[in-house]
C-alpha cells in the first residue's frame, strides 16, 4: 500500500498458483525459456537502469504531486507550485532515481536473478530502501525459476536464526 502497509499482500496469489501460471505456455510462450534458471549478471546488466520510473514516465496525482511512478511514493514536486518541466528536469528526487544503475543496488547487483528480475524500485522504497531488494519481486523470481534469490536466501537464514 502507498503508506507501506503490507496487509494487501494477503490478497496475493499463492506461490503454488503463481508457479502454475508461470508454466502455462498459453500465457508465457516458451516455458523452458521463460522459467530458465538465472544467469550471472553481465556488464551490460550492471550499467542498466533498473526501471523506467522517473526516466520515461512519472505519475501526477489529482493534487498535483509528481512521483517517479504510480507505485513509487517519493514526492518529487507539485505542479501547482512549479511548472512540470522544471520538476521533470530539476527535481532532486527524480534526478536521484534517474542516477541509479543496477550496480548501485545493494544486494541485487550481485544476485543471479538481476538480468531477468522485474524488480520494482517503488516496492523496494516502501520496504525502506529504493536501492534495496523488493521482497515481492524476489518471491516472483523464485516462483518463476525455482531458484532462491540472494535476498530470499538471506531472509531464510535470518528466520532460522530467530527461531
Amino acid at each position: 500500500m502507498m503508506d507501506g502497509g503490507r496487509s494487501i499482500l494477503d490478497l496475493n496469489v499463492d506461490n503454488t498458483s503463481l508457479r502454475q501460471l508461470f508454466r502455462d505456455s498459453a500465457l508465457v510462450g516458451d516455458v523452458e525459456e521463460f522459467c530458465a534458471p538465472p544467469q550471472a549478471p553481465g556488464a551490460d546488466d550492471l550499467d542498466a537502469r533498473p526501471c523506467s520510473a522517473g526516466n520515461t514516465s512519472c505519475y501526477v496525482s489529482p493534487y498535483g504531486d509528481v512521483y517517479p511512478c504510480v507505485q513509487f511514493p517519493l514526492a518529487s514536486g507539485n505542479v501547482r507550485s512549479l511548472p512540470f518541466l522544471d520538476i521533470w528536469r530539476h527535481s532532486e528526487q527524480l534526478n536521484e532515481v534517474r542516477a541509479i544503475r543496477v550496480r548501485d543496488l545493494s544486494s541485487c547487483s550481485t544476485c543471479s536473478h538481476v538480468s531477468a528480475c522485474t524488480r520494482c524500485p517503488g516496492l523496494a522504497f516502501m520496504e525502506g530502501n529504493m536501492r534495496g531488494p523488493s521482497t515481492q519481486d524476489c518471491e516472483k523470481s523464485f516462483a518463476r525459476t525455482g531458484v532462491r534469490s540472494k535476498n530470499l536466501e538471506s531472509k531464510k537464514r535470518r528466520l532460522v536464526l530467530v527461531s
Side-chain angles (χ1 to χ4, degrees):
M1 296 187 53
M2 296 304 279
D3 66 0
R6 298 188 53 81
S7 63
I8 194 76
L9 295 176
D10 293 338
L11 301 174
N12 277 355
V13 64
D14 63 81
N15 284 337
T16 302
S17 298
L18 188 58
R19 287 183 65 80
Q20 289 172 343
L21 284 171
F22 285 152
R23 282 150 185 78
D24 185 337
S25 61
L27 297 173
V28 302
D30 184 343
V31 174
E32 292 296 320
E33 180 181 334
F34 187 77
C35 295
Q39 303 295 313
D44 291 343
D45 296 321
L46 298 177
D47 290 331
R49 287 187 167 119
C51 180
S52 65
N55 288 283
T56 62
S57 63
C58 67
Y59 167 64
V60 181
S61 79
Y63 306 102
D65 295 314
V66 178
Y67 300 94
C69 170
V70 70
Q71 187 67 42
F72 199 155
L74 176 66
S76 303
N78 187 292
V79 295
R80 294 181 180 180
S81 304
L82 287 170
F84 175 78
L85 199 54
D86 287 348
I87 296 168
W88 184 255
R89 289 181 177 164
H90 306 294
S91 164
E92 289 179 31
Q93 295 84 357
L94 289 177
N95 286 331
E96 179 183 8
V97 170
R98 289 180 187 128
I100 298 171
R101 297 296 181 269
V102 170
R103 71 176 163 273
D104 302 322
L105 305 176
S106 56
S107 63
C108 301
S109 63
T110 58
C111 179
S112 62
H113 287 265
V114 74
S115 62
C117 182
T118 58
R119 181 192 168 276
C120 174
L123 291 175
F125 178 79
M126 288 190 281
E127 288 186 40
N129 181 358
M130 75 173 96
R131 290 175 181 81
S134 158
T135 301
Q136 191 73 16
D137 292 317
C138 293
E139 289 171 354
K140 193 168 40 172
S141 288
F142 174 59
R144 181 175 162 187
T145 65
V147 177
R148 289 190 186 276
S149 69
K150 187 174 185 178
N151 182 47
L152 287 183
E153 282 297 325
S154 174
K155 282 188 153 220
K156 183 179 167 188
R157 281 192 298 275
R158 283 193 305 263
L159 288 174
V160 169
L161 292 174
V162 173
S163 299

